[in-house]
Each structure stands twice: as C-alpha cells, then as structure tokens.
Amino acid sequence: MASTRADTREGGDTVGGIQKFEQRLESMISGAFARAFRSAVQPVEIAAALQRECDNNAQILSRERRLVPNAFHVELSITDLDRLAPYDTALADDLTGQLQEHADAQGYSFPGPISIEFEESGDLTTGRFRIRSRAQARVTGNATHTQVSRARAILEVNGTRQPLHPPGVVVGRGNDADLRINDPGVSRRHIEFRVAARTIGTREGVHIEVHDLGSTNGMLVNGQKMSRSIADDGTEVRIGNTTLTVRIVEERIDV
C-alpha cells in the first residue's frame, strides 16, 4: 500500500478535518512549520495523504466494520527529513490524533495501535514524499519480561517477543488462545506451536513443531502451505496478514 504527493482537495468533511489539523499545528509550534517547510513537503499534505491511504485500502469486514492500515512509513528526501527532524515526534503525535478522528468519522477500525514513522528515501526530491502502509495486528499475550528473557525459544510478531515454553502455545484470534492476534484472517484457534525440551551433547535446547488447528485460511511455513512442520531458528509462519518468526536460543550446560 503506498501513495505519493497528490492534489489535496477532498470532500467537505476531509477538508474540515485537515483545516483543523493545520490550525492545531500552527498553535502547537507558533508557525515554525510554515517557515521550515515553505518550499518543501507541507505537513498538511502528509495528513491528507494518510487519510487517502486509509480510504483507498479499507477492507469491508462487515456491514458496520471496515479495516484500514495502522502502520505508516512516510518516506521523504534527505532535505525534507532534516527539516522535519526537530518536529517529528510532535508531528507524528498530532497526525495520529487527526487520523483517529478521520477513522471515527468514517467508521474505520484499526487492527492495532497507529504508528507513523519518517524515513529517508534516496529517489525522492525535495517536496515529494511517499507513504507505505500495512495493517499490523495487535498482539496480546500473558508473558512477563522475565519469561521472555529466560526462554530458549521465542516468537517475534509485529514488534513483540513472545516465549515458546513446553508444552506449547496456541495462537489465534479468540480469547482462549495463549497468544491472541487481532487479525481478521486469523481463526479463533489457528495454529499451535508444540514445544519439547531436548539435550544435544552439551547443549540444552528445544524441539518445535507448528500445527494448523483446522483453521479457515491455513498457514504458510517459509512461503509453503502446510498443515504441520518442524520449526527451526528463523522459520517464518504466516497466518492471515501476520508473520510470526521463530528464534531459538540454545544455552550451554556447564560440565
């Protein structure tokens, strides 16, 4: 999902929201944006493009619910990125609030928290920008930081780290799953990672298998559709729009 700088003329509701957003920016930093961005990317253009990114990529899930992206990367030229640097945190916060207001007005749902990041792109000239977006589901587990740090194997998913302890972990969208992912393409109980301790020579580690639990959409293991598979370090398991990566940490046993 991506968009580039374009005409910012929208419908009445959108224009009203953008104007309020621009007024908040001016009030927040006393017009510093206007001076810094006079001949470069205007923050109001980024705000309008983020709204269009949601509008253009809304997925109808039900009569009342439309899912839109929640993770956004704003690519800028090095010149624009340098000009933005003193304000990027404040701008991201205000863009997030403005985007939430737009979603509320349009009846959109985000699969997880909104994140907006600014990045350099060498192929863009001053005054041009590009937006990449994706739906990144909220991940909920019950593990503590200590459990993660002591685990011999973990799952990396959407910026989180979840421990893989024997006998295993059920992953799904339902409340009865051990690891819950708010992804409409994920079944209530989608897959299970089955974990067993093992010792090889002087190393203690784990054996991991991943099993599909009769899900609606199945799973891909390293890009191949499977119903079960052994999972090694680096194995990627995709369910719905979410990818889970297995990381194994083997600990040496003192002898």
Side-chain angles (χ1 to χ4, degrees):
M1 305 176 186
S3 66
T4 56
R5 184 173 185 171
D7 190 345
T8 58
R9 291 174 297 177
E10 304 286 342
D13 291 341
T14 299
V15 171
I18 293 298
Q19 288 174 342
K20 291 178 182 177
F21 169 76
E22 192 170 25
Q23 291 167 1
R24 287 199 303 272
L25 285 181
E26 292 175 355
S27 174
M28 180 174 63
I29 55 177
S30 302
F33 274 111
R35 293 192 295 273
F37 289 84
R38 186 170 293 125
S39 61
V41 169
Q42 303 294 322
V44 67
E45 293 180 320
I46 297 176
L50 288 170
Q51 288 189 3
R52 287 195 300 271
E53 191 74 4
C54 290
D55 297 339
N56 294 337
N57 293 289
Q59 301 179 42
I60 299 175
L61 301 180
S62 66
R63 185 175 179 180
E64 295 83 16
R65 187 183 178 205
R66 287 182 290 175
L67 188 74
V68 294
N70 63 313
F72 303 89
H73 294 264
V74 182
E75 298 181 352
L76 302 156
S77 70
I78 183 61
T79 301
D80 286 326
L81 191 62
D82 286 345
R83 289 173 176 169
L84 176 66
Y87 321 111
D88 58 357
T89 300
L91 178 58
D93 289 345
D94 218 49
L95 285 169
T96 297
Q98 188 272 338
L99 200 57
Q100 183 64 63
E101 290 180 8
H102 179 66
D104 292 342
Q106 300 298 322
Y108 295 153
S109 295
F110 295 109
I114 300 171
S115 66
I116 301 173
E117 298 182 4
F118 302 97
E119 302 174 352
E120 176 188 348
S121 181
D123 68 330
L124 294 175
T125 56
T126 301
R128 306 283 299 180
F129 67 95
R130 180 187 302 117
I131 293 178
R132 294 183 292 108
S133 69
R134 67 189 181 100
Q136 182 169 287
R138 178 186 290 108
V139 178
T140 306
N142 299 319
T144 65
H145 176 73
T146 299
Q147 289 174 321
V148 174
S149 63
R150 292 180 177 177
R152 295 194 178 98
I154 61 173
L155 283 175
E156 294 178 347
V157 50
N158 290 355
T160 71
R161 301 170 77 240
Q162 310 291 333
L164 284 173
H165 290 304
V169 174
V170 172
V171 180
R173 187 166 42 86
N175 292 330
D176 56 343
D178 302 308
L179 182 61
R180 296 176 296 283
I181 300 178
N182 185 33
D183 182 332
V186 172
S187 297
R188 295 185 61 83
R189 289 171 57 88
H190 199 117
I191 58 175
E192 180 180 16
F193 288 90
R194 299 177 184 175
V195 185
R198 68 174 182 178
T199 301
I200 302 178
T202 60
R203 291 186 180 274
E204 184 174 320
V206 290
H207 174 78
I208 302 173
E209 294 183 1
V210 57
H211 294 249
D212 181 79
L213 298 178
S215 65
T216 301
N217 297 320
M219 69 174 180
L220 298 178
V221 180
N222 294 330
Q224 302 295 318
K225 189 162 187 176
M226 299 183 181
S227 59
R228 59 174 292 180
S229 175
I230 293 175
D232 298 314
D233 183 50
T235 295
E236 292 187 346
V237 181
R238 186 170 181 83
I239 55 176
N241 295 309
T242 302
T243 298
L244 305 92
T245 303
V246 176
R247 300 295 182 194
I248 298 176
V249 181
E250 294 185 340
E251 299 178 351
R252 183 172 296 278
I253 301 173
D254 294 330
V255 294

